[in-house]
Coordinates of all heavy atoms in Angstrom, one line a residue:
N7 N 110.8 92.7 83.1 CA 110.9 91.3 83.7 C 110.0 91.2 84.9 O 110.2 92.0 85.9 CB 112.3 91.0 84.0 CG 112.6 89.6 84.4 OD1 111.6 88.8 84.6 ND2 113.8 89.2 84.4
Y8 N 109.1 90.3 85.0 CA 108.2 90.2 86.1 C 108.5 89.0 87.0 O 107.6 88.5 87.7 CB 106.7 90.0 85.5 CG 106.3 91.2 84.8 CD1 106.4 91.3 83.4 CD2 105.7 92.3 85.5 CE1 105.9 92.4 82.7 CE2 105.2 93.4 84.8 CZ 105.4 93.5 83.4 OH 104.9 94.6 82.8
D9 N 109.7 88.4 86.9 CA 110.0 87.2 87.6 C 109.7 87.2 89.1 O 109.3 86.3 89.7 CB 111.4 86.8 87.4 CG 111.6 86.2 86.0 OD1 110.6 85.9 85.3 OD2 112.8 86.1 85.5
Y10 N 110.0 88.4 89.7 CA 109.9 88.5 91.2 C 108.9 89.6 91.7 O 108.9 90.0 92.8 CB 111.3 88.7 91.8 CG 112.2 87.6 91.5 CD1 113.2 87.8 90.5 CD2 112.1 86.4 92.1 CE1 114.1 86.8 90.2 CE2 113.0 85.4 91.8 CZ 114.0 85.6 90.8 OH 114.8 84.6 90.5
E11 N 108.1 90.0 90.8 CA 107.1 91.0 91.2 C 106.0 90.4 92.0 O 105.4 89.4 91.6 CB 106.6 91.8 90.0 CG 105.7 92.9 90.4 CD 105.2 93.8 89.2 OE1 105.5 93.3 88.0 OE2 104.6 94.8 89.4
F12 N 105.6 91.1 93.1 CA 104.4 90.6 93.9 C 103.2 91.4 93.4 O 103.2 92.6 93.3 CB 104.7 90.9 95.3 CG 103.5 90.5 96.2 CD1 103.4 89.2 96.6 CD2 102.6 91.4 96.6 CE1 102.3 88.8 97.4 CE2 101.6 91.1 97.4 CZ 101.4 89.7 97.8
V13 N 102.1 90.7 93.1 CA 100.9 91.3 92.8 C 99.8 90.7 93.7 O 99.9 89.6 94.1 CB 100.5 91.2 91.3 CG1 101.5 91.9 90.4 CG2 100.3 89.8 90.9
L14 N 98.7 91.5 93.9 CA 97.6 91.1 94.7 C 96.4 91.1 93.8 O 96.0 92.2 93.2 CB 97.4 92.0 95.9 CG 96.1 91.7 96.7 CD1 96.3 90.3 97.4 CD2 96.0 92.8 97.8
I15 N 95.8 89.9 93.5 CA 94.6 89.9 92.7 C 93.4 90.3 93.5 O 93.1 89.8 94.5 CB 94.4 88.4 92.2 CG1 95.6 88.0 91.3 CG2 93.1 88.3 91.4 CD1 95.5 86.5 90.9
K16 N 92.7 91.3 92.9 CA 91.5 91.9 93.6 C 90.3 91.2 93.1 O 89.3 90.9 93.9 CB 91.4 93.4 93.3 CG 92.5 94.2 93.8 CD 92.5 94.2 95.3 CE 93.2 95.4 95.8 NZ 93.0 95.6 97.2
A17 N 90.2 90.8 91.8 CA 89.0 90.2 91.2 C 89.4 89.6 89.9 O 90.3 90.0 89.2 CB 87.9 91.2 91.1
I18 N 88.6 88.6 89.5 CA 88.6 88.0 88.1 C 87.2 88.1 87.6 O 86.3 87.4 88.1 CB 89.2 86.6 88.2 CG1 90.6 86.6 88.7 CG2 89.2 86.0 86.7 CD1 91.1 85.2 88.9
K19 N 87.0 88.9 86.6 CA 85.7 89.1 86.0 C 85.7 89.2 84.5 O 86.6 89.9 84.0 CB 85.0 90.4 86.5 CG 84.8 90.5 88.0 CD 84.1 91.8 88.3 CE 84.6 92.4 89.6 NZ 84.1 93.7 89.9
N20 N 84.8 88.6 83.8 CA 84.7 88.7 82.4 C 86.1 88.5 81.7 O 86.5 89.3 80.8 CB 84.1 90.1 82.0 CG 82.8 90.3 82.6 OD1 82.0 89.4 82.8 ND2 82.5 91.5 83.0
D21 N 86.8 87.5 82.0 CA 88.1 87.1 81.4 C 89.2 88.2 81.7 O 90.2 88.2 81.1 CB 88.0 86.9 79.9 CG 89.2 86.2 79.3 OD1 89.7 85.2 80.0 OD2 89.7 86.7 78.3
L22 N 89.0 89.1 82.7 CA 90.0 90.0 83.1 C 90.4 89.8 84.5 O 89.6 89.6 85.4 CB 89.4 91.5 82.9 CG 89.2 92.0 81.5 CD1 88.6 93.4 81.6 CD2 90.5 92.1 80.8
V23 N 91.7 89.9 84.7 CA 92.3 89.8 86.1 C 92.5 91.3 86.5 O 93.2 92.0 85.9 CB 93.6 89.0 86.1 CG1 94.2 89.0 87.5 CG2 93.4 87.6 85.6
H24 N 91.9 91.7 87.7 CA 92.1 93.0 88.2 C 93.1 92.8 89.4 O 92.8 92.0 90.3 CB 90.8 93.6 88.7 CG 89.8 93.7 87.7 ND1 89.5 94.9 87.1 CD2 89.0 92.8 87.0 CE1 88.5 94.7 86.2 NE2 88.2 93.4 86.1
Y25 N 94.2 93.5 89.4 CA 95.2 93.3 90.4 C 95.9 94.6 90.7 O 95.9 95.6 90.0 CB 96.2 92.2 90.0 CG 97.0 92.6 88.8 CD1 98.3 93.1 88.9 CD2 96.5 92.3 87.5 CE1 99.0 93.4 87.8 CE2 97.2 92.6 86.4 CZ 98.5 93.2 86.6 OH 99.3 93.5 85.4
T26 N 96.6 94.6 91.9 CA 97.5 95.7 92.2 C 98.9 95.3 92.3 O 99.2 94.1 92.6 CB 97.1 96.4 93.6 OG1 97.2 95.4 94.6 CG2 95.8 97.0 93.6
T27 N 99.8 96.1 91.9 CA 101.3 95.8 91.9 C 101.9 96.2 93.2 O 101.2 96.8 94.1 CB 102.0 96.5 90.7 OG1 101.9 97.9 91.0 CG2 101.4 96.1 89.4
G28 N 103.2 96.0 93.4 CA 103.9 96.4 94.6 C 103.8 97.9 94.8 O 103.9 98.4 95.9
E29 N 103.6 98.7 93.8 CA 103.5 100.1 93.9 C 102.1 100.6 94.2 O 101.8 101.7 94.1 CB 104.0 100.8 92.6 CG 105.5 100.6 92.4 CD 105.8 99.4 91.6 OE1 104.9 99.0 90.7 OE2 106.8 98.7 91.8
N30 N 101.2 99.6 94.4 CA 99.8 99.9 94.7 C 99.1 100.4 93.4 O 98.1 101.2 93.6 CB 99.6 100.8 95.9 CG 98.8 100.2 96.9 OD1 98.4 99.0 96.8 ND2 98.5 100.9 98.0
K31 N 99.6 100.1 92.3 CA 99.0 100.6 91.0 C 97.9 99.5 90.6 O 98.2 98.3 90.5 CB 100.0 100.7 89.9 CG 99.5 101.1 88.6 CD 100.6 101.1 87.6 CE 99.9 101.3 86.2 NZ 100.9 100.9 85.1
L32 N 96.7 99.9 90.4 CA 95.6 99.0 89.9 C 95.8 98.8 88.4 O 96.0 99.7 87.6 CB 94.3 99.7 90.2 CG 93.1 98.8 89.9 CD1 93.1 97.5 90.8 CD2 91.8 99.5 90.3
S33 N 95.8 97.5 88.1 CA 96.0 97.1 86.7 C 94.9 96.0 86.4 O 94.4 95.4 87.2 CB 97.4 96.5 86.4 OG 98.3 97.5 86.7
K34 N 94.7 95.8 85.1 CA 93.9 94.7 84.6 C 94.4 94.3 83.3 O 94.8 95.0 82.5 CB 92.4 95.1 84.6 CG 92.0 96.2 83.6 CD 90.5 96.5 83.7 CE 90.2 97.7 82.9 NZ 88.8 98.1 82.9
E35 N 94.3 92.9 83.0 CA 94.6 92.4 81.8 C 93.9 91.0 81.6 O 93.4 90.5 82.6 CB 96.1 92.3 81.6 CG 96.8 91.6 82.6 CD 98.3 91.9 82.6 OE1 98.8 92.7 81.8 OE2 99.1 91.2 83.3
T36 N 93.9 90.5 80.4 CA 93.2 89.2 80.2 C 93.9 88.1 81.0 O 95.0 88.2 81.3 CB 93.2 88.8 78.7 OG1 94.5 88.6 78.3 CG2 92.5 89.9 77.9
I37 N 93.1 87.1 81.3 CA 93.7 86.0 82.0 C 94.9 85.4 81.3 O 95.9 85.1 81.9 CB 92.6 84.9 82.3 CG1 91.5 85.4 83.2 CG2 93.2 83.6 82.8 CD1 90.3 84.5 83.4
G38 N 94.8 85.3 80.0 CA 95.9 84.7 79.2 C 97.2 85.5 79.4 O 98.3 84.9 79.6
V39 N 97.1 86.8 79.2 CA 98.3 87.7 79.4 C 98.8 87.6 80.8 O 100.0 87.5 81.0 CB 97.9 89.1 78.9 CG1 99.1 90.1 79.3 CG2 97.6 89.2 77.5
F40 N 97.9 87.7 81.8 CA 98.3 87.6 83.2 C 99.1 86.3 83.4 O 100.1 86.4 84.1 CB 97.1 87.7 84.1 CG 97.4 87.7 85.5 CD1 97.8 88.9 86.2 CD2 97.4 86.5 86.2 CE1 98.1 88.9 87.5 CE2 97.7 86.5 87.6 CZ 98.1 87.7 88.2
L41 N 98.6 85.2 83.0 CA 99.2 83.9 83.2 C 100.6 83.8 82.6 O 101.5 83.2 83.1 CB 98.3 82.8 82.8 CG 97.1 82.6 83.7 CD1 96.2 81.4 83.1 CD2 97.4 82.2 85.1
K42 N 100.8 84.5 81.4 CA 102.1 84.5 80.8 C 103.1 85.3 81.6 O 104.3 84.9 81.6 CB 102.0 85.0 79.4 CG 101.3 84.0 78.4 CD 101.2 84.7 77.0 CE 100.4 83.7 76.1 NZ 100.2 84.3 74.8
R43 N 102.6 86.4 82.2 CA 103.5 87.2 82.9 C 103.8 86.7 84.3 O 105.0 86.8 84.8 CB 102.9 88.6 83.1 CG 102.9 89.4 81.9 CD 102.6 90.8 82.3 NE 102.6 91.6 81.1 CZ 102.4 92.9 81.0 NH1 102.3 93.6 82.1 NH2 102.4 93.6 79.9
Y44 N 102.8 86.2 85.0 CA 103.0 85.8 86.4 C 102.7 84.3 86.5 O 101.6 83.8 86.7 CB 102.0 86.5 87.3 CG 102.2 88.0 87.1 CD1 101.2 88.8 86.4 CD2 103.2 88.7 87.7 CE1 101.4 90.1 86.3 CE2 103.4 90.0 87.6 CZ 102.4 90.8 86.9 OH 102.6 92.1 86.8
K45 N 103.8 83.5 86.4 CA 103.6 82.0 86.4 C 104.6 81.3 87.3 O 104.8 80.1 87.1 CB 103.7 81.5 85.0 CG 105.0 81.8 84.3 CD 105.0 81.3 82.9 CE 106.3 81.6 82.2 NZ 106.3 81.2 80.8
K46 N 105.2 82.0 88.2 CA 106.2 81.4 89.0 C 105.6 80.8 90.3 O 105.3 79.7 90.4 CB 107.3 82.3 89.4 CG 108.1 82.8 88.1 CD 108.9 81.7 87.6 CE 109.7 82.2 86.4 NZ 110.4 81.3 85.7
I47 N 105.5 81.7 91.3 CA 105.0 81.2 92.7 C 103.7 81.9 92.9 O 103.5 83.1 92.7 CB 106.0 81.7 93.7 CG1 107.4 81.0 93.5 CG2 105.5 81.3 95.1 CD1 108.5 81.5 94.3
V48 N 102.8 81.1 93.5 CA 101.4 81.6 93.8 C 101.1 81.4 95.3 O 101.4 80.3 95.8 CB 100.4 80.9 92.9 CG1 99.0 81.4 93.3 CG2 100.6 81.1 91.5
F49 N 100.6 82.4 95.9 CA 100.2 82.3 97.3 C 98.7 82.7 97.3 O 98.3 83.7 96.8 CB 101.0 83.3 98.2 CG 100.4 83.4 99.6 CD1 100.8 82.4 100.5 CD2 99.7 84.4 100.0 CE1 100.3 82.4 101.8 CE2 99.2 84.5 101.3 CZ 99.5 83.5 102.2
V50 N 97.9 81.7 97.8 CA 96.4 82.0 97.8 C 96.0 82.2 99.2 O 96.3 81.4 100.1 CB 95.7 80.7 97.2 CG1 94.2 81.0 97.2 CG2 96.2 80.5 95.8
A51 N 95.3 83.3 99.4 CA 94.7 83.6 100.7 C 93.2 83.9 100.5 O 92.9 84.9 99.7 CB 95.4 84.7 101.4
E52 N 92.4 83.2 101.1 CA 90.9 83.5 101.0 C 90.4 84.0 102.3 O 90.6 83.4 103.3 CB 90.2 82.3 100.5 CG 90.6 81.8 99.1 CD 89.7 80.7 98.6 OE1 88.6 80.5 99.1 OE2 90.2 79.9 97.8
P53 N 89.7 85.1 102.3 CA 89.2 85.6 103.6 C 88.0 84.8 104.1 O 87.3 84.2 103.3 CB 88.7 87.1 103.2 CG 88.4 87.0 101.7 CD 89.4 86.0 101.2
N54 N 87.8 84.8 105.4 CA 86.7 84.1 106.0 C 86.2 85.0 107.2 O 86.7 86.1 107.4 CB 87.0 82.7 106.4 CG 88.0 82.6 107.4 OD1 88.3 83.5 108.2 ND2 88.7 81.4 107.4
E55 N 85.3 84.5 108.0 CA 84.8 85.3 109.0 C 85.8 85.6 110.1 O 85.6 86.6 110.9 CB 83.6 84.6 109.7 CG 83.9 83.3 110.3 CD 83.9 82.1 109.4 OE1 83.6 82.2 108.2 OE2 84.3 81.0 109.8
T56 N 86.9 84.9 110.2 CA 87.9 85.3 111.2 C 89.1 86.0 110.6 O 90.1 86.3 111.3 CB 88.5 84.0 111.9 OG1 89.1 83.1 110.9 CG2 87.3 83.2 112.6
S57 N 89.0 86.4 109.3 CA 90.1 87.1 108.7 C 90.2 88.6 109.2 O 89.2 89.2 109.5 CB 90.0 87.1 107.2 OG 90.0 85.8 106.7
G58 N 91.4 89.1 109.1 CA 91.5 90.5 109.4 C 91.9 90.8 110.8 O 91.8 89.9 111.7
E59 N 92.2 92.0 111.1 CA 92.5 92.5 112.4 C 91.3 92.7 113.3 O 90.3 93.3 112.8 CB 93.3 93.8 112.3 CG 93.7 94.4 113.6 CD 94.4 95.7 113.5 OE1 94.9 96.0 112.4 OE2 94.5 96.5 114.5
Q60 N 91.3 92.1 114.5 CA 90.2 92.3 115.4 C 90.1 93.8 115.7 O 91.1 94.5 115.9 CB 90.3 91.5 116.7 CG 90.2 90.0 116.5 CD 90.3 89.3 117.8 OE1 90.7 89.8 118.8 NE2 89.9 88.0 117.7
N61 N 88.9 94.3 115.8 CA 88.6 95.7 116.1 C 89.3 96.7 115.2 O 89.8 97.7 115.7 CB 88.9 96.0 117.6 CG 88.2 95.1 118.5 OD1 87.0 94.9 118.4 ND2 89.0 94.4 119.4
Y62 N 89.4 96.4 114.0 CA 90.2 97.2 113.0 C 89.8 98.7 113.0 O 90.6 99.6 113.1 CB 90.1 96.6 111.6 CG 90.8 97.5 110.6 CD1 92.2 97.5 110.4 CD2 90.1 98.3 109.7 CE1 92.8 98.3 109.5 CE2 90.7 99.1 108.8 CZ 92.1 99.1 108.7 OH 92.7 99.9 107.8
E63 N 88.5 98.9 112.9 CA 88.0 100.3 112.8 C 88.4 101.1 114.1 O 88.8 102.2 114.0 CB 86.5 100.3 112.6 CG 86.0 99.7 111.3 CD 86.4 100.5 110.1 OE1 86.5 101.8 110.2 OE2 86.7 99.9 109.0
R64 N 88.2 100.5 115.2 CA 88.5 101.1 116.5 C 90.0 101.4 116.6 O 90.5 102.5 117.0 CB 88.0 100.3 117.7 CG 88.3 101.1 119.0 CD 87.8 100.2 120.2 NE 88.8 99.2 120.3 CZ 88.6 98.0 121.0 NH1 87.4 97.8 121.5 NH2 89.6 97.1 121.1
N65 N 90.8 100.4 116.2 CA 92.3 100.5 116.3 C 92.7 101.6 115.3 O 93.7 102.4 115.6 CB 92.9 99.2 115.9 CG 92.7 98.1 117.0 OD1 92.3 98.5 118.1 ND2 92.9 96.9 116.6
L66 N 92.1 101.7 114.1 CA 92.5 102.7 113.1 C 92.2 104.1 113.7 O 93.0 105.0 113.6 CB 91.8 102.4 111.8 CG 92.1 103.4 110.7 CD1 93.6 103.4 110.3 CD2 91.2 103.1 109.5
K67 N 91.0 104.2 114.3 CA 90.6 105.5 114.8 C 91.6 105.9 116.0 O 92.0 107.1 116.0 CB 89.2 105.4 115.4 CG 88.7 106.7 116.0 CD 87.3 106.5 116.5 CE 86.8 107.7 117.3 NZ 85.5 107.6 117.9
N68 N 91.9 105.0 116.8 CA 92.9 105.3 117.9 C 94.2 105.7 117.4 O 94.9 106.6 117.9 CB 93.0 104.1 118.9 CG 91.7 103.9 119.7 OD1 90.9 104.8 119.8 ND2 91.6 102.7 120.2
E69 N 94.7 105.0 116.3 CA 96.0 105.3 115.7 C 96.0 106.7 115.1 O 96.9 107.5 115.3 CB 96.3 104.3 114.6 CG 97.7 104.5 114.0 CD 98.0 103.4 113.0 OE1 97.4 102.4 113.0 OE2 98.9 103.7 112.2
K70 N 94.9 107.1 114.5 CA 94.8 108.4 113.9 C 94.8 109.5 115.0 O 95.4 110.5 114.8 CB 93.5 108.5 113.0 CG 93.6 107.8 111.7 CD 92.3 107.9 110.9 CE 92.5 107.2 109.6 NZ 91.2 107.4 108.8
I71 N 94.1 109.2 116.1 CA 94.0 110.2 117.2 C 95.4 110.3 117.8 O 95.9 111.4 118.0 CB 93.0 109.7 118.3 CG1 91.6 109.9 117.7 CG2 93.2 110.5 119.6 CD1 90.5 109.3 118.6
S72 N 96.1 109.2 118.0 CA 97.5 109.2 118.5 C 98.4 110.0 117.6 O 99.2 110.8 118.1 CB 98.0 107.8 118.7 OG 99.3 107.8 119.2
N73 N 98.3 109.8 116.3 CA 99.2 110.5 115.4 C 98.9 112.0 115.4 O 99.8 112.8 115.3 CB 99.0 109.9 114.0 CG 99.7 108.6 113.8 OD1 100.5 108.2 114.6 ND2 99.3 107.8 112.8
S74 N 97.6 112.3 115.5 CA 97.2 113.8 115.5 C 97.8 114.4 116.8 O 98.3 115.5 116.7 CB 95.7 113.9 115.5 OG 95.2 113.4 114.3
K75 N 97.7 113.7 117.9 CA 98.3 114.3 119.2 C 99.7 114.5 119.0 O 100.3 115.5 119.5 CB 98.0 113.3 120.3 CG 96.5 113.3 120.8 CD 96.3 112.4 121.9 CE 94.8 112.3 122.3 NZ 94.6 111.3 123.4
K76 N 100.5 113.6 118.4 CA 101.9 113.7 118.3 C 102.2 114.9 117.4 O 103.2 115.7 117.7 CB 102.5 112.4 117.6 CG 102.5 111.3 118.6 CD 103.1 110.0 117.9 CE 102.9 108.8 118.8 NZ 103.3 107.6 118.1
K77 N 101.5 115.1 116.3 CA 101.7 116.2 115.4 C 101.4 117.5 116.2 O 102.2 118.5 116.0 CB 100.8 116.2 114.2 CG 101.2 115.1 113.2 CD 100.3 115.0 112.0 CE 100.6 113.9 111.1 NZ 99.7 113.7 110.0
L78 N 100.3 117.6 116.9 CA 100.0 118.8 117.7 C 101.1 119.1 118.7 O 101.5 120.3 118.9 CB 98.7 118.7 118.4 CG 97.5 118.8 117.4 CD1 96.2 118.5 118.2 CD2 97.4 120.2 116.8
L79 N 101.6 118.1 119.4 CA 102.7 118.3 120.3 C 103.9 118.8 119.7 O 104.6 119.7 120.2 CB 103.0 116.9 121.0 CG 104.1 116.9 122.1 CD1 103.7 117.9 123.2 CD2 104.4 115.5 122.6
K80 N 104.3 118.3 118.5 CA 105.5 118.8 117.8 C 105.3 120.3 117.4 O 106.2 121.1 117.5 CB 105.7 118.0 116.5 CG 106.3 116.6 116.8 CD 106.5 115.8 115.6 CE 107.0 114.4 115.9 NZ 107.1 113.6 114.7
I81 N 104.1 120.6 116.9 CA 103.8 122.0 116.5 C 103.9 122.9 117.7 O 104.5 124.0 117.7 CB 102.4 122.1 115.8 CG1 102.4 121.4 114.5 CG2 102.0 123.6 115.7 CD1 101.1 121.2 113.8
G82 N 103.2 122.5 118.8 CA 103.3 123.3 120.1 C 104.7 123.5 120.6 O 105.1 124.6 121.0
L83 N 105.5 122.4 120.5 CA 106.9 122.5 121.0 C 107.7 123.5 120.1 O 108.4 124.3 120.6 CB 107.5 121.1 121.0 CG 108.9 121.0 121.6 CD1 109.0 121.6 123.0 CD2 109.4 119.6 121.5
S84 N 107.5 123.3 118.8 CA 108.1 124.2 117.8 C 107.8 125.7 118.1 O 108.6 126.6 118.1 CB 107.8 123.8 116.4 OG 108.3 122.5 116.1
L85 N 106.5 125.9 118.3 CA 106.0 127.3 118.5 C 106.6 127.9 119.8 O 107.0 129.0 119.9 CB 104.5 127.4 118.5 CG 103.8 127.2 117.2 CD1 102.3 127.1 117.3 CD2 104.2 128.3 116.2
T86 N 106.7 127.0 120.9 CA 107.2 127.4 122.1 C 108.7 127.8 122.0 O 109.1 128.8 122.5 CB 107.0 126.3 123.2 OG1 105.7 126.0 123.3 CG2 107.6 126.7 124.5
I87 N 109.4 126.9 121.3 CA 110.9 127.2 121.1 C 111.1 128.5 120.3 O 111.9 129.3 120.6 CB 111.6 126.0 120.4 CG1 111.6 124.8 121.4 CG2 112.9 126.4 119.9 CD1 112.0 123.5 120.7
F88 N 110.2 128.7 119.3 CA 110.3 129.9 118.4 C 110.0 131.1 119.3 O 110.7 132.1 119.2 CB 109.3 129.8 117.3 CG 109.3 131.0 116.4 CD1 110.3 131.2 115.4 CD2 108.3 131.9 116.5 CE1 110.3 132.3 114.6 CE2 108.3 133.1 115.7 CZ 109.3 133.2 114.8
Y89 N 109.0 131.0 120.1 CA 108.6 132.2 120.9 C 109.7 132.6 121.9 O 110.0 133.8 122.0 CB 107.3 131.8 121.7 CG 106.8 132.9 122.6 CD1 106.2 134.0 122.2 CD2 107.1 132.8 124.0 CE1 105.8 135.0 123.0 CE2 106.7 133.8 124.9 CZ 106.0 134.9 124.4 OH 105.6 135.9 125.2
Y90 N 110.3 131.6 122.5 CA 111.4 131.9 123.5 C 112.7 132.3 122.9 O 113.6 132.8 123.6 CB 111.5 130.8 124.5 CG 110.4 130.8 125.5 CD1 109.4 129.9 125.5 CD2 110.3 131.8 126.5 CE1 108.3 129.9 126.4 CE2 109.2 131.9 127.4 CZ 108.3 130.9 127.3 OH 107.2 130.9 128.2
T91 N 112.9 132.0 121.6 CA 114.2 132.3 121.0 C 114.1 133.6 120.1 O 115.2 134.0 119.6 CB 114.7 131.1 120.1 OG1 113.7 130.8 119.1 CG2 115.0 129.9 121.0
H92 N 113.0 134.2 120.0 CA 112.9 135.4 119.1 C 112.3 136.5 119.9 O 111.7 136.7 120.7 CB 112.0 135.1 117.9 CG 112.7 134.2 116.9 ND1 112.7 132.9 117.0 CD2 113.5 134.5 115.8 CE1 113.4 132.3 116.0 NE2 113.9 133.3 115.3

């Protein structure tokens, strides 16, 4: 039953709808089959020059660095505790 499933359409080419499901699974099927399955509520979002997060690449890089620092801190703390308890 597809009544409440959210899908994101990636492209429509050659009578095929390419989309991802809520589980991030890439799927494709003919327009006819797609319309029979998903015909309840439609939300349309079209990107333009102002779409997306500002400075996305820089923010992503900073987030990865921050996460790496946190992981290293946890490892260092674990090793310190292990060293002093054994």
Side-chain angles (χ1 to χ4, degrees):
N7 188 350
Y8 295 95
D9 286 344
Y10 300 104
E11 185 175 10
F12 177 82
V13 298
L14 177 63
I15 296 174
K16 298 291 204 171
I18 300 174
K19 298 182 214 170
N20 303 325
D21 194 44
L22 288 176
V23 179
H24 301 257
Y25 64 96
T26 56
T27 63
E29 295 86 34
N30 238 5
K31 178 185 169 196
L32 186 59
S33 300
K34 65 181 172 182
E35 52 197 10
T36 65
I37 292 172
V39 170
F40 182 85
L41 291 176
K42 285 179 185 174
R43 285 190 182 189
Y44 304 103
K45 58 183 177 181
K46 298 288 181 185
I47 299 171
V48 177
F49 174 76
V50 178
E52 294 186 24
N54 62 27
E55 63 278 351
T56 62
S57 297
E59 180 180 342
Q60 289 182 346
N61 304 312
Y62 174 78
E63 294 293 329
R64 185 182 71 202
N65 294 344
L66 181 62
K67 180 181 175 184
N68 289 341
E69 183 178 343
K70 286 181 180 180
I71 290 170
S72 176
N73 288 341
S74 295
K75 286 180 181 178
K76 288 177 187 176
K77 287 178 185 175
L78 287 173
L79 181 62
K80 288 178 184 178
I81 291 170
L83 185 57
S84 296
L85 289 173
T86 302
I87 291 170
F88 178 78
Y89 176 77
Y90 283 107
T91 59
H92 288 84

